[in-house]
Amino acid sequence: MSEPLTTPGEGFHPHLHDTPGRTAAPLHTRLHHIRADALDGDTAQTGGMRRFAAVSGRTVGSEKLWMGQTHVAPSTASSDHHHGASETAIHVVSGHPEFVFVDDSGEEPQEVRLRTSPGDYIFVPPFVPHREENPDPSEEAVVVIARSTQEAIVVNLPRLYALAADGSEGENADGSEGGNA
């Protein structure tokens, strides 16, 4: 038999305040239960997707972690973006989202598309430009995201391809010359 769901405020441990030398802030002396219907949609956004915070500095006082959900509508692609110095881990909950980035580790930059299924994970290193796409015409794609920063850092970009070292736009992965995108 399963236990009933907790109510907001449960999980508080009054004995932690009696620990000698412990001076933790009130938000750091209790567990926080964030209900699925209480996610915070007031986060940094990227066109074509919707982010919802569950665990953040603002919602629970976290100092080193952000966690939430991203929803990508059917037949939609996000704008190109990166997440600054934050590491990002992604767990696919539903749908078959695709993650697109440029692999420039070889002789020629190459656009790579990672096709995923529910249960899959993706790791996005800091500063790596990418986009999420949902090619399915009828099913929304939903992923859970964890970041190594307390807030959802989002840097929207005009394109996936980086500028050449001299600041000019180089050749695209498809062989065409770079230009304004």
Side-chain angles (χ1 to χ4, degrees), residues 67-72 88-99 114-124 132-136 139-146:
M67 190 171 192
Q69 288 184 0
T70 298
H71 296 240
V72 181
T88 302
I90 301 169
H91 175 72
V92 179
V93 175
S94 64
H96 295 276
E98 297 181 2
F99 298 84
L114 303 174
R115 292 177 173 92
T116 65
S117 294
D120 290 354
Y121 290 84
I122 296 287
F123 173 70
V124 181
E132 289 86 19
E133 296 181 0
N134 181 8
D136 190 298
E139 183 181 9
E140 176 180 64
V142 178
V143 300
V144 170
I145 297 177

Side-chain angles (χ1 to χ4, degrees), residues 148-171:
S148 61
T149 54
Q150 70 179 15
E151 295 302 331
I153 297 169
V154 177
V155 179
N156 291 305
L157 303 170
R159 57 192 277 161
L160 282 180
Y161 308 98
L163 296 177
D166 65 3
S168 65
E169 292 182 323
E171 190 174 277

Side-chain angles (χ1 to χ4, degrees), residues 39-128:
L39 299 181
D40 180 5
D42 187 22
T43 68
Q45 300 294 331
T46 298
M49 61 191 328
R50 194 74 184 118
R51 290 186 184 91
F52 299 92
V55 175
S56 71
R58 187 172 64 197
T59 61
V60 299
S62 65
E63 295 177 0
K64 300 176 185 173
L65 179 69
W66 184 95
M67 190 171 192
Q69 288 184 0
T70 298
H71 296 240
V72 181
S75 299
T76 302
S78 75
S79 300
D80 299 331
H81 62 280
H82 69 74
H83 302 291
S86 181
E87 292 183 330
T88 302
I90 301 169
H91 175 72
V92 179
V93 175
S94 64
H96 295 276
E98 297 181 2
F99 298 84
V100 182
F101 70 101
V102 174
D103 182 353
D104 60 1
S105 63
E107 255 182 61
E108 295 292 324
Q110 182 176 6
E111 188 172 287
V112 176
R113 179 175 301 274
L114 303 174
R115 292 177 173 92
T116 65
S117 294
D120 290 354
Y121 290 84
I122 296 287
F123 173 70
V124 181
F127 299 104
V128 174

